[in-house]
Amino acid sequence: MLAYIARRILLMIPTILGIMLISFVLVQFAPGGPVERIIAQLQGQDSGASSRISGGGGDFGAQSPGGAGAADASSSRYRGAQGLDPQFIKQLEAQFGFDKPAHERFLKMIWDYSRFDFGKSYFRDISVLVLIKEKLPVSISLGLWMTLLSYAISIPLGIKKAMRDGSSFDIWTSAIVIIGYAIPGFLFAILLIVLFAGGSFWQIFPLRGLTSENWALMPWYIQIADYFWHLVLPITAMALGAFATSTLLTKNSFLDEIRKQYVLTARMKGLSERQVLYGHVFRNAMLIVIAGFPGAFIGAFFAGALLIETIFSLDGLGLLSFESIVNRDYPVVFANLYIFSLVGLAVNLLSDLTYTWIDPRIDFETREA
């Protein structure tokens, strides 16, 4: 097993390199960039998410962008650079590192990232690592509690539905599950706000943030209650779709196992239904459910939280990544990509190790041989 773990860890290196290389190449051909953002701000043409960031990438405000020697439209490769001093453009390129060849920039980025040195944000004048640490509690809260809640509900419900397949309980719970799966999480979030966050009916739950403004002054037990009080609506909205998917997956997995020959043999030996279910079926049926855990966790931790973070004003990594992509803040974009790729590969390895914990008969080393 140790040899298998070592091989998997070594395979993470070329995988990470491949992900970063493909993303880096795509960025080179993407229209726009940080230099173009600065030019647009100077020309008063910038809008959208980029209008919320300040700092402009450096102390260039004191320099005159025009005047003698200004470039015309044909002397610059940047759109909108007409009338700007070519030396000023070169200084912008040097600040962002674009004065070096692409392969040198990529190799430097990989070397820095291997030491978890992500540099500074182009537009926020703050270390990328500090910025990610500031947003991390929100994303961890949403991803962790949503995944735990959806699995805590869907696994027992899926098992019960499988045991009572075709009954009235199975039918009406399936209707609820299908409706939950069909409703987008962000629409359900808006409905929850209208009903319970002072939209049109009751104002039971808060609408913004992860904690109250006076959270630091509260006793520790009130702090815990306040934290979960703020999480009720966003976690409920996020768990709806994941809960539906996990429930149906669990039910179908258990149904497949219950109909196999070894279950009939166990029943003929006089074992109770509980002994058959948890002594034989559970271990085999849960393997496919566990296989879906990494994707569920990573999806909730990152992409799935973007709209929920926006609706409930939660400043997490999903919103940070989206704004960084729009604003071409490449250090933040690549740092998030690197971290989430690394986490995803580690969670997949953890999932394989959980296989062997649930069913010791599984031997990955024998399978690879």
Side-chain angles (χ1 to χ4, degrees):
M1 180 56 68
L2 291 178
Y4 170 76
I5 295 174
R7 285 196 297 271
R8 285 290 299 271
I9 293 175
L10 290 175
L11 282 174
M12 290 182 185
I13 298 175
T15 304
I16 288 288
L17 286 174
I19 293 172
M20 299 304 294
L21 177 60
I22 293 173
S23 303
F24 185 85
V25 171
L26 290 176
V27 163
Q28 306 310 304
F29 295 99
V35 175
E36 286 87 342
R37 285 289 179 185
I38 299 298
I39 293 173
Q41 289 175 356
L42 291 172
Q43 301 284 14
Q45 300 173 354
D46 199 21
S47 61
S50 61
S51 63
R52 293 191 290 172
I53 46 182
S54 61
D59 298 327
F60 290 103
Q63 303 184 28
S64 174
D72 58 23
S74 62
S75 62
S76 176
R77 60 191 179 92
Y78 296 107
R79 182 182 300 177
Q82 300 91 332
L84 296 180
D85 189 343
Q87 188 63 31
F88 175 74
I89 301 297
K90 291 181 179 179
Q91 290 178 6
L92 283 178
E93 290 179 334
Q95 179 179 348
F96 294 125
F98 296 137
D99 57 332
K100 300 176 182 177
H103 69 278
E104 289 187 16
R105 287 186 280 124
F106 176 75
L107 292 176
K108 183 180 185 303
M109 180 183 71
I110 293 300
W111 170 246
D112 291 340
Y113 282 18
S114 66
R115 298 176 289 121
F116 287 90
D117 178 10
F118 301 114
K120 296 181 67 175
S121 168
Y122 282 162
F123 302 105
R124 298 174 189 254
D125 194 27
I126 187 175
S127 167
V128 174
L129 195 57
V130 172
L131 189 61
I132 291 175
K133 286 181 178 178
E134 289 179 355
K135 315 298 182 183
L136 199 57
V138 172
S139 295
I140 289 178
S141 296
L142 294 177
L144 178 63
W145 294 117
M146 190 283 290
T147 306
L148 292 178
L149 178 64
S150 63
Y151 271 73
I153 296 175
S154 61
I155 290 177
L157 180 59
I159 293 174
K160 190 170 184 179
K161 285 173 63 64
M163 298 301 294
R164 301 178 61 178
D165 184 42
S167 66
S168 58
F169 171 81
D170 180 45
I171 293 173
W172 68 261
T173 52
S174 294
I176 295 176
V177 167
I178 292 173
I179 292 173
Y181 183 76
I183 299 177
F186 72 93
L187 287 181
F188 191 61
I190 295 173
L191 176 63
L192 291 176
I193 291 174
V194 171
L195 292 176
F196 302 112
S200 299
F201 295 89
W202 305 281
Q203 189 166 1
I204 302 174
F205 299 101
L207 183 59
R208 298 177 59 87
L210 207 58
T211 56
S212 300
E213 292 183 0
N214 60 336
W215 186 83
L217 304 176
M218 299 176 180
W220 65 269
Y221 53 90
I222 300 296
Q223 288 180 338
I224 295 175
D226 181 77
Y227 168 73
F228 284 105
W229 183 47
H230 281 74
L231 280 176
V232 169
L233 295 187
I235 292 300
T236 302
M238 289 182 64
L240 187 66
F243 147 78
T245 304
S246 302
T247 299
L248 294 177
L249 180 64
T250 303
K251 176 192 172 182
N252 293 333
S253 178
F254 272 79
L255 281 178
D256 288 341
E257 292 296 323
I258 288 172
R259 294 165 180 167
K260 290 184 178 179
Q261 185 63 42
Y262 74 90
V263 176
L264 297 177
T265 304
R267 286 171 176 166
M268 291 176 62
K269 290 181 177 180
L271 297 179
S272 66
E273 284 298 316
R274 185 177 183 84
Q275 289 175 320
V276 171
L277 180 63
Y278 293 103
H280 295 77
V281 175
F282 183 84
R283 183 173 60 185
N284 296 324
M286 284 302 296
L287 290 176
I288 191 172
V289 179
I290 292 173
F293 179 83
F297 178 75
I298 297 300
F301 191 69
F302 180 57
L306 171 58
L307 291 175
I308 300 300
E309 288 178 7
T310 303
I311 292 171
F312 290 100
S313 300
L314 299 171
D315 197 6
L317 289 178
L319 188 58
L320 172 66
S321 299
F322 173 75
E323 290 182 346
S324 301
I325 292 172
V326 172
N327 295 317
R328 303 298 193 270
D329 198 346
Y330 293 149
V332 181
V333 172
F334 284 118
N336 275 297
L337 177 64
Y338 179 82
I339 290 174
F340 280 106
S341 299
L342 202 59
V343 171
L345 292 171
V347 171
N348 274 300
L349 175 59
L350 181 61
S351 176
D352 286 349
L353 298 179
T354 309
Y355 277 141
T356 63
W357 174 68
I358 291 180
D359 190 349
R361 297 173 299 176
I362 296 177
D363 188 350
F364 289 105
E365 293 184 6
T366 303
R367 184 187 67 179
E368 290 186 350

